[in-house]
Amino acid sequence: DSTSFGSPSALRVLRVAWQYVWKVLFRYDLRYAAYTQGAYDSNAGELVLQLLTQMIRYNCADRMTMFSRKPSSLSGKESATSSSPFVHAEQGHVYKLPIFDETSTILSSAPFELITAIIEHVGFSGVVGSNT
């Protein structure tokens, strides 16, 4: 069955849903990103950062199979970029989050975990911002 659990079409629908969640988190009119300005333990800003981190770690927006791979198991032919094209292209939004405007006031480990997840699972895109 082409729509059974774990099938390519079911995974495509799931990928698109997670990509939509990513886009919603960065919508200016909903202000989820604005909450990150005061990200400290157990507040809304930290939860936004943690959600983004887990989406990257579990490859939610780019998952092609039911089984995830760790970066160390990637072959030399496949880069982290090719396994996470959506997040790689969209990561400019992360760098523009308010939490990174004034780094001396960070009171949570969540921003560091997010950047570490990008480095480990996606790689840097070299894009500072995005117009989307």
Side-chain angles (χ1 to χ4, degrees):
D1 184 8
S2 65
T3 59
S4 65
F5 180 78
S7 71
S9 62
L11 287 172
R12 186 179 64 75
V13 170
L14 191 57
R15 263 193 324 272
V16 170
W18 278 112
Q19 289 172 5
Y20 181 73
V21 169
W22 180 282
K23 296 280 190 180
V24 166
L25 289 174
F26 288 100
R27 276 185 45 189
Y28 179 76
D29 59 324
L30 298 179
R31 305 194 41 79
Y32 290 113
Y35 290 124
T36 68
Q37 185 170 11
Y40 53 87
D41 287 342
S42 301
N43 81 342
E46 184 181 57
L47 294 175
V48 168
L49 296 173
Q50 289 175 346
L51 176 57
L52 290 168
T53 301
Q54 296 309 319
M55 288 175 66
I56 293 168
R57 283 183 179 156
Y58 291 98
N59 206 19
C60 295
D62 289 306
R63 184 171 295 262
M64 298 296 180
T65 67
M66 287 304 299
F67 305 104
S68 64
R69 293 174 290 180
K70 296 186 182 286
S72 59
S73 68
L74 291 172
S75 69
K77 296 178 184 174
E78 183 180 17
S79 68
T81 302
S82 63
S83 67
S84 299
F86 176 81
V87 175
H88 189 266
E90 294 288 321
Q91 68 178 273
H93 291 292
V94 172
Y95 307 134
K96 293 172 71 176
L97 287 171
I99 188 70
F100 299 115
D101 288 344
E102 181 55 54
T103 56
S104 65
T105 61
I106 294 177
L107 301 173
S108 168
S109 64
F112 302 105
E113 292 171 14
L114 176 57
I115 295 301
T116 301
I118 289 172
I119 293 168
E120 289 179 344
H121 299 279
V122 180
F124 286 117
S125 70
V127 176
V128 175
S130 178
N131 296 328
T132 57

